[in-house]
Every structure is written in structure tokens, then in C-alpha cells.
Amino acid sequence: MRLSVVFALLILVVASLESALGTVSGVDVRPNFTVIFVVFFSHHFPRTRGGVAAFVMGYLRDLLSGGLMGANALLMLLLYIGSRATARKLFAHSWLFIAVSVAAGTFITDAGFFVIARSLPHAVAMPGDFARRSVLNALVTGAFAPPVWWCLARLKYWLALRREEPAT
Amino acid sequence: MDKLKPHRTGIIFGLLTLAAVTMILSDSPERRLGPLDRAILALAAPLQKTFTAAGRRVSAAVEDYLGLVEVNRENEALRSIIAELRGALVAAREARIENERLRAMLGLRTHEPPDLYPASIIAEDSTGWFRRVRIDRGSEQGLRVGLAVVAPEGVVGQVTAVGRNTAEVLLVIDRNSAVPVVLQRSRSRGIATGEGGGHLSIEFVARADEVAEGDIVVTSGLGGVYPKGLSVGRVIHVDKPDAGLFQRVWIAPSVDFSRLEEVLVHIPSPLDEVDPAFAQGVGAGGDAPEPGS
């Protein structure tokens, strides 16, 4: 319960922070903290709760960003499922691998967002330099992943919370 | 129920996927926010304000320090601009007086000054794919979808979704934005669309129309969102093909969106939206009244 409340508040804070980042930095490339959180959840949260948290994070990103409603909610849920499925096979528990897997997750969700936006019945125009910015987003997010991951792991440890069910 | 228990996660994920797909398919440029959305936005607004304010203070401190080097040079440039603007101001005053006099002579109804409500930008699109911002005014302050948002320099965008105390604004530089415009000098009309990268472009300007770099572009007043005559930007490039019917015009916006912090929401008075005398005339099946009658 304590885990859910603390992380729910944290999710709202992070979603708000993300939407304020653009205003502050004035640049188009920015770290995607949502992806870092979702990949973290896939390793450290119980299966159902982690999936719901990933969906909520995506939904908040959609709502607070003013983008395409539902797209990030779907993509974060799919990222969570994919990350959880491959966690045991690929995850090597090194900071480099965390950075690489988060960067890959960022690029894949960006690509997914592009595909959804372009395939909708009503036209949603996307930037022409999408590929370049996606790669830069992935690199920046990958660079941020280890410290954010470390903070989340410390927070979880501090709350003396453990995984409630084994990853499947 | 026990049979479903092992599949609980799969069922929940399936329902969430269905909810997300429904949201995507029902998404539209003008969003209708539900009670849950409004509650979340109300909860997040103070956080967004705090983060944005804190970030701006840090950015301002860094910029102030770095900017000191440029201050003298900028001062000189500003002095010369002020001198130019003083001249322009005198000319504008003359033009206004002349305009008032001519209006009085023609008996035209003087437009009421528009109702402009100040608002602060508290957040931006966090995905970076869109050019939208969130402002700290919402339905409680009388905002609604479709209102024009401006700055002293010119047009900013239009309101696309409204919460209780916040609203989402689609900027004119977003690729999904379209602003009916007119080139001030040649009076050529067109639709300015955002290019995403900070500029706008006007397609379908007749090739025969005379357009030059530096021409001022203003809103045409068509479409009913933006009032007529607001500055949109300045022509920076004209792409005139050797053949074909149209030319493409590139515009630098009047507003510096990277530094935009406060905006003004234009809430038109009922008089601006529908002229009652005109409406009465149309409703009665008669002709619209003569101007000034």
C-alpha cells in the first residue's frame, strides 16, 4: 500500500516535471523519465501493479503533455510487457545495460508514437526530423537512466519494500 | 470466478489496452476533458507551476550572467530601435486619428476593445512532438475551446482543451495549426500552417501575387478564431517555382515562442461574435441593416 501511494505521488510529480522541462530548457530533445520508470517497474514491481502503473504514467504523459490522448498509455503498457518478458533473458544488471535498454525502450516508444500518429483517421502532423530527434531523445534518456534508476532503487530499499511476486 | 483468477493480469492488461485504443480513436484536435482528467489537471497544475517557476529562475540567473557581455552591444541596438519606434509611433497616432475621423464620417460601428485576459504558461508538451502549452486559466475564468491566444507581439495560438483552472493551447507553429492570414502589403490571402521547427509557411499563394522577404503577415479574420489584423510574422523566404500556379511563403513568427511566459486570452464580447442587428435581419428573412443604422 505504502509503495503504491509513494509511487503514485512520485509518478504525478515526474509527469508534471516532464511537462515543465520543455518550458524551462526551450529545446526539443529531452529525457523521457516515463520510460525509465516503466522499465524500472518491469524489474521491481509485481506484474499486475507494474502494468497498471505503466499505463497510468503513459496516461498522465498524454494528459499533461497535450499530445495524442491514449498513445503513450498504450505504448507504456506494451513497453512494460515487452520489458518484463525480456528482463530475465537480457538484463545483465549493469549500469551500461540499464542505459542501453532504456535508450532502446525510448526509441521504440517514440517510433510507436509516430506510427500511431500517422495511422489515425484524423491527420496528426509530426516533425520532419523525427528520426534524428528520436535518436537524441533515446541517448539523453539512456544517459539519465542509471542515476534515476539508482534513486528509485534507493527509494524502494528505504521504504523496505520487496517484490511481492516473482517475475514470470 | 476462480477460473478467471490465473488470467487476472491478462484480463486487466487487455482492458487497459482496449481503454487506450478507445482513447486514441476518439481523440480529436479539440479535446473534451472528463471529470477525472480535470481533477488530475487541477492536482498537477500547482506542481507544474512550481517546477516551471523554479526552472525559469535558474535559467534567468544563468542567462543574466552570460548576457552581461552582450549588454552594451544590445543597448546600442535597442537605442536605435527606440528611435525608429518613436517615429513609427507618431505616424501610428496620426493614422489612428485619421481612422477615427473617417470612421465617424462613414458612420461605422467602432469595435469595442477586445477582452484580453492574462495567463501564465505553466507547462509544455513533454513529448516534444507537438507545440502545445498549458496555461493557468480554465473554464472557471470563462475560457472555452476555440478562443484565440495572443501576446503583445502577435498571435500565439488557440485554446484546444479546457480544464477547470488550466487550458491547453495549440501554438501557431504546431504542424496541426492553421491560421487564415493576409499579406499586409499585397493583400494576398492564404492559410499559414506551422512547420514545427519554429516557423510557419503559407501554401497556395497565387504565383502571380507579389510577395517579398520582409513583408508583414497578419490575421485575415476569416475562420472566426483570430481577430483581424493581428501580427503573425514576417516573410523570410519565398519559394517561387518556375512553373505552376502557386508559390510557397515562409514566415518567421512575431512571437518568440522559446521565451514566451505570459499570454493574453482573447474572449470576444457577444457583440463581436454576432451582430444582433445582423442576426435579427437574417432571422427575419430580411436584408442585413446598413452600416451604422
Side-chain angles (χ1 to χ4, degrees):
Chain A
M1 187 63 191
R2 197 163 41 162
L3 174 82
S4 301
V5 173
V6 171
F7 271 87
L9 287 173
L10 195 60
I11 283 168
L12 188 64
V13 170
V14 168
S16 304
L17 176 66
E18 273 190 330
S19 60
L21 269 182
T23 312
V24 175
S25 62
V27 291
D28 292 333
V29 178
R30 61 201 73 177
N32 189 335
F33 291 113
T34 308
V35 168
I36 304 174
F37 269 61
V38 169
V39 178
F40 179 84
F41 293 160
S42 69
H43 289 88
H44 292 275
F45 265 42
R47 196 169 55 162
T48 311
R49 203 186 292 175
V52 173
F55 177 86
V56 170
M57 281 211 80
Y59 170 74
L60 284 178
R61 192 169 159 83
D62 287 327
L63 187 64
L64 297 179
S65 72
L68 183 56
M69 206 62 195
N72 276 301
L74 177 65
L75 290 166
M76 291 307 150
L77 180 62
L78 294 177
L79 175 67
Y80 174 83
I81 294 168
S83 177
R84 192 161 180 102
T86 55
R88 285 294 164 92
K89 292 174 190 166
L90 295 178
F91 197 59
H93 292 283
S94 73
W95 293 119
L96 179 66
F97 211 87
I98 287 171
V100 170
S101 48
V102 166
T106 308
F107 185 78
I108 290 166
T109 47
D110 276 356
F113 193 89
F114 184 78
V115 170
I116 292 171
R118 294 299 288 263
S119 57
L120 281 177
H122 58 275
V124 179
M126 295 289 288
D129 59 345
F130 169 82
R132 182 186 68 86
R133 276 162 58 178
S134 289
V135 170
L136 291 175
N137 278 345
L139 292 175
V140 172
T141 310
F144 269 88
V148 174
W149 191 287
W150 184 85
C151 291
L152 290 173
R154 289 295 97 190
L155 178 69
K156 195 185 165 198
Y157 177 77
W158 181 68
L159 291 168
L161 295 165
R162 286 180 295 175
R163 205 179 294 183
E164 291 179 15
E165 63 180 50
T168 53
Chain B
M1 284 300 281
D2 286 346
K3 281 183 185 174
L4 292 175
K5 209 172 178 182
H7 307 292
R8 195 184 64 151
T9 304
I11 292 168
I12 290 172
F13 284 6
L15 289 173
L16 291 177
T17 306
L18 194 66
V21 171
T22 309
M23 277 191 274
I24 293 167
L25 293 177
S26 59
D27 188 65
S28 68
E30 292 178 358
R31 272 194 209 173
R32 286 188 185 86
L33 300 173
L36 178 66
D37 300 329
R38 285 167 183 262
I40 293 169
L41 289 174
L43 206 62
L47 289 170
Q48 289 178 311
K49 261 186 198 175
T50 309
F51 285 133
T52 304
R56 277 187 185 143
R57 276 185 193 164
V58 174
S59 297
V62 173
E63 276 180 22
D64 282 353
Y65 178 74
L66 296 175
L68 278 175
V69 187
E70 293 289 318
V71 163
N72 279 337
R73 202 180 303 165
E74 198 178 346
N75 253 349
E76 279 176 30
L78 288 173
R79 276 178 212 280
S80 67
I81 290 170
I82 287 170
E84 279 176 30
L85 288 176
R86 276 189 181 141
L89 187 65
V90 172
R93 275 187 192 141
E94 284 298 313
R96 195 186 69 194
I97 292 164
E98 186 185 4
N99 183 281
E100 281 170 3
R101 198 174 61 241
L102 292 172
R103 271 181 181 278
M105 284 167 70
L106 290 168
L108 288 174
R109 176 169 66 84
T110 308
H111 287 284
E112 293 293 320
D115 295 321
L116 297 171
Y117 290 89
S120 294
I121 292 172
I122 57 169
E124 246 182 61
D125 167 36
S126 57
T127 62
W129 303 129
F130 303 104
R131 297 290 189 158
R132 294 175 199 231
V133 295
R134 188 163 292 283
I135 56 174
D136 64 346
R137 294 283 184 273
S139 57
E140 279 196 352
Q141 289 78 34
L143 266 64
R144 58 180 190 272
V145 170
L147 292 179
V149 180
V150 300
E153 298 83 15
V155 177
V156 171
Q158 68 167 300
V159 176
T160 50
V162 181
R164 213 168 58 184
N165 287 305
T166 62
E168 183 187 293
V169 178
L170 177 73
L171 303 181
V172 290
I173 51 172
D174 187 283
R175 287 163 190 276
N176 299 287
S177 165
V179 185
V181 294
V182 60
L183 286 135
Q184 204 173 44
R185 189 172 57 87
S186 65
R187 309 312 293 173
S188 306
R189 281 182 180 166
I191 303 288
T193 52
E195 289 295 326
H199 293 113
L200 298 99
S201 70
I202 316 176
E203 284 181 83
F204 309 118
V205 176
R207 200 170 161 276
D209 288 352
E210 194 192 324
V211 185
E213 286 180 16
D215 279 359
I216 303 295
V217 181
V218 297
T219 51
S220 67
L222 300 174
V225 174
Y226 301 101
K228 189 178 180 178
L230 293 175
S231 174
V232 175
R234 185 175 43 82
V235 174
I236 50 168
H237 180 66
V238 183
D239 193 2
K240 199 169 191 172
D242 294 334
L245 292 172
F246 304 108
Q247 56 186 323
R248 193 170 186 186
V249 178
W250 298 83
I251 309 166
S254 314
V255 177
D256 182 356
F257 289 97
S258 64
R259 292 175 186 276
L260 194 62
E261 293 181 21
E262 282 87 28
V263 293
L264 298 162
V265 184
H266 175 255
I267 303 182
S269 64
L271 200 66
D272 285 341
E273 291 184 273
V274 182
D275 188 333
F278 178 76
Q280 200 179 2
V282 172
D287 295 332
E290 289 296 317
S293 64

